[in-house]
Amino acid sequence: MRKNSTALSDVPKPDISTVEGFKKTILSINSVAYPGDGASGIYFVSLLDRMGIGAEMKPKLRPMPGEYNVEVVATGTVDMVVVVASRIYGVPGVDMLGLIPKELQTWIGFATGINPQSKHAEAARALTKFLSTPPADAVLKPIGIEPFVE
């Protein structure tokens, strides 16, 4: 949700921790951005249909390019964005409400690949190995990226 001139501590955050809370919040806003292309955007639109609010939300939906879908909240172009959590962190002017309820989540897995001709293959292997360690989890989890599970 967009920050405004009122101190954030003075503005109660909507509760999106339950399916009903998320549904109530999203129905109460005027516009919501989401990734217009890719799997997460397709999932979000199908989730609205699954919750029985797809038709009601359709005029409020603002599909955006992946590289700009959070910033439109900060500029006031839209009221809210639904996107992978890690994309929201660190964007000035945007207040993270939290994760949507677990029963509405879908998971995106990330993988690494290393070019065998790379001049930095060993460094890439070291980074790949590090990304599945507890120290990496400690950095990634606070920005919405769940730890690696085999």
Side-chain angles (χ1 to χ4, degrees):
M1 306 246 351
R2 187 169 67 95
K3 293 180 181 181
N4 59 29
S5 59
T6 307
L8 286 177
S9 59
D10 297 339
V11 179
K13 287 184 181 181
D15 178 13
I16 63 166
S17 65
T18 65
V19 173
E20 279 307 309
F22 177 68
K23 187 175 180 179
K24 179 181 174 184
T25 298
I26 205 156
L27 285 169
S28 73
I29 62 170
N30 293 321
S31 56
V32 61
Y34 68 97
D37 42 349
S40 60
I42 293 167
Y43 178 79
F44 174 62
V45 172
S46 72
L47 177 63
L48 296 174
D49 289 335
R50 194 172 94 202
M51 292 182 352
I53 60 172
E56 190 172 354
M57 287 299 301
K58 191 171 184 172
K60 299 178 180 191
L61 296 178
R62 305 293 184 270
M64 299 282 174
E67 67 276 0
Y68 191 66
N69 54 28
V70 176
E71 288 75 6
V72 294
V73 175
T75 64
T77 305
V78 299
D79 297 324
M80 184 177 181
V81 62
V82 176
V83 67
V84 294
S86 59
R87 180 66 182 85
I88 296 173
Y89 289 93
V91 177
V94 179
D95 186 18
M96 175 70 162
L97 290 180
L99 301 177
I100 64 174
K102 286 194 184 291
E103 53 269 48
L104 300 179
Q105 290 282 353
T106 189
W107 299 101
I108 299 170
F110 292 94
T112 61
I114 301 167
N115 179 338
Q117 307 302 317
S118 172
K119 294 178 182 173
H120 306 285
E122 284 306 312
R125 282 190 214 32
L127 175 61
T128 298
K129 185 175 180 178
F130 172 74
L131 290 173
S132 63
T133 66
D137 294 347
V139 173
L140 297 173
K141 192 166 176 119
I143 62 168
I145 301 173
E146 292 294 319
F148 174 76
V149 177
E150 243 182 286

